[in-house]
Amino acid sequence: MAEVSSTIDALLHENREFPPPPDFAREAVANDPGIYDRAAKDPEAFWAGMAKELHWFKPWDKVLQWDPPFAQWFVGGKLNVSYNCLDRHLDGPRRNKAALIWEGEPGDWKVYTYWDLHREVCRFANALKSLGVEKGDRITIYLPMIPELPIAMLACARIGAPHSVIFGGFSAESIRGRINDCESKLIITADGGYRRGNVVPLKRNVDEALEETPTIEKVVVVRRTGTADDLMQSGRDIWWHDAVEGQSAKCDAEPMDSEDMLYLLYTSGTTGKPKGIVHTTGGYLVGVYTTSKYVFDLKEDDVYWCTADIGWVTGHSYIVYGPLANGATSVMYEGTPDHPDRDRFWAVVEKYGCTILYTAPTAIRTFMKWGEEYPERRDLSTLRLLGTVGEPINPEAWIWYWQNIGQGRCPVVDTWWQTETGMILVTPLPGLTTLKPGSATKPFPGITADVVDENGIPVAPGQGGLLVLTKPWPAMLRTIYGDPDRYIEQYWSRFPNLYFTGDGCKKDQDGYLWLLGRVDDVINVAAHRISTMEVESALVDHHAVVEAASIGRSDDIKGQAVVAFVTLKDTVTPSDELKVELKKHVTQKIGAIARPDDIFFTAELPKTRSGKIMRRLLRDIAEGRAIGDTTTLADSSVIQTLKEKYGEETEG
Ligand code: ATP
Ligand code: MG
């Protein structure tokens, strides 16, 4: 038997390379490769230089105070995030520029200029004050993807009341837990939201949640669907339109300390119970401002669309705070990509002339499954840059995106980061970096990441290990809300003074980083540690496959055996011959060690509400044990169906 390897065997080889298109490079915001050296030499000076592009009521005394594992950035500085996202743009030509272009699922749409958005934010900020909200009060927001959501966030930021946004797909129980965790005083919701042609009954969920939330005093309700007129409780509930009625369009932005809490937000819950992540004001804004500018190459005339839900960190940082701090035009869409038809995203790109699109691998794999005919129906010629986030992107999905959406013209930035990191940390700079499909490439300037073995020693090029961050960065989480011990335990106890990301990673000969999935998901076959990501990418590489999840199932001889759950293209018929062929394909792509013992075909994989594959539930199925926590699962019927099907097939 091979010796126990302490890292992850990195097996998959992907050699395609895509240098920046010359025209793109010439015009790029980041077009000087010296930015990496400059930032590496003096990261504090680099971040301070970026911070100076923002508006401060009072400058900071010290850039960084680092008492591991607790960091403070721009110590002593005073600023306001809403002021930086709005007021800062009102003096010049941006005043009448579209800040937000919003489209509802039924097809209604609305454009807010910076002036409009400023007015609406001020009015709602004044409404909050008149409802008794004070600086420091926590406010829960449970809204669909409608303009009132960013307006509410910016209003909270304006008066210094930290927000806690809860994704509109969560249940009453999840809302209750999150309200009680932060003891918020007020919740902002809507009667309903549109999703795939149906109305999601948000107000009803809130009413149920509020049966056991002693701290909530008021509920502000946006009238969106007209489905809760009979649910308003007098004394407690107030309509948004009534709350802003007669409110002044001027509201001074509260000077906040750089380290005051801007918001708290719960993680996706892919690996277990969600954690309440705390982000503060100065460092966070500098981090998302800088990365939005350089990673998305933001120019004055761009129409930038991030398809995430604002209920996730991606929406916080890269629909709201990052783009608006840059004075960009940010597009926001309420519904699903298949309503009324499967070309809806491409219809949005065509209608508003989107130039930049930022989406998730799970969405891209869905589009692959549906086929090329949908993007082909629409004019995508305005696009010039594409991005992805949320999971490792399989090289085949990357290539599909590049070819069918980017039409071979647009660089693809694969951005690695977490709720905890607040900002993108590993990413190409589109005008400078030669892309390799499946690699998030290199740390952003000023960020130091490394791949280490179980002892915290950096691995050699070509090896896999654990991704860690070796220095504090401006937008890093400050703690887990109300639980500093869990903060230390979760992120800082594995290795002294290294931030543990929980993700496996390979470093190649050129120093590129290849994310290999969660360390918890690694499969151990005959003492080889195999990444789920690599097995899945080998499967997705086969023309019949659009999506795959691989896991390790206990095996008397090998320790673990690879089991794969595979979703085929709509046009392919499942068969036993195909299973044999797929096993052979994995052997060819990465070697016999990774060959799945079993393959199961399934139309759907269990995913979190943010679209990530939940492998731990698949492991529960394969091991025949009780299914673990499913509260963050998008569709619980998927796991039930799979469990039954798996049971039938393994008995036979
Ligand atoms: P929880 O921490 O509750 O289990 P989560 O980790 O899924 O949930 P998020 O903070 O939304 O919650 O996701 C961050 C994780 O997503 C990263 O740790 C990584 O595993 C994955 N990820 C995000 N972007 C990428 C990317 N570009 N490449 C590879 N993995 C990515
Ligand atoms: Mg996580």
Side-chain angles (χ1 to χ4, degrees), residues 11 523-526 528 530-531 534-536 538-539 550-553 555 558 560-564 576-599:
L11 303 167
I523 308 172
N524 220 318
V525 184
H528 288 279
I530 295 172
S531 118
E534 291 182 306
V535 179
E536 291 157 13
L539 286 162
S550 67
I551 52 135
R553 179 181 64 201
D555 184 281
K558 296 186 276 193
Q560 284 190 318
V562 178
V563 176
D576 285 344
E577 293 74 58
L578 184 55
K579 287 186 183 175
V580 174
E581 194 180 312
L582 291 177
K583 289 178 188 178
K584 210 187 274 168
H585 192 74
V586 174
T587 310
Q588 269 163 11
K589 290 296 287 187
I590 53 183
I593 190 77
R595 182 179 179 277
D597 275 28
D598 279 315
I599 289 184

Side-chain angles (χ1 to χ4, degrees), residues 240-255:
W240 174 293
H241 53 262
D242 290 334
V244 295
E245 175 72 35
Q247 295 291 351
S248 158
K250 292 211 164 52
C251 172
D252 286 341
E254 186 68 31

Side-chain angles (χ1 to χ4, degrees), residues 267-271 275 418-420 490-491 499 501-503 518 612:
T267 56
S268 295
T270 312
T271 51
K275 304 165 276 279
Q418 308 176 307
T419 309
E420 294 89 337
Q490 182 89 32
Y491 307 106
Y499 172 90
T501 64
D503 287 336
R518 321 269 171 170
K612 297 165 199 271

Side-chain angles (χ1 to χ4, degrees), residues 311-368:
W312 310 119
V313 73
T314 303
H316 281 59
S317 297
Y318 298 109
I319 296 177
V320 184
Y321 293 123
L324 297 182
N326 277 279
T329 296
S330 186
V331 175
M332 184 178 164
Y333 165 62
E334 179 184 28
T336 61
D338 56 353
H339 190 83
D341 202 352
R342 291 172 165 184
D343 65 345
R344 184 62 184 270
F345 272 23
W346 320 124
V348 169
V349 169
E350 179 181 78
K351 180 169 177 187
Y352 303 106
C354 297
T355 56
I356 303 166
L357 177 72
Y358 189 33
T359 193
T362 180
I364 296 165
R365 292 188 304 255
T366 304
F367 301 139
M368 287 172 75

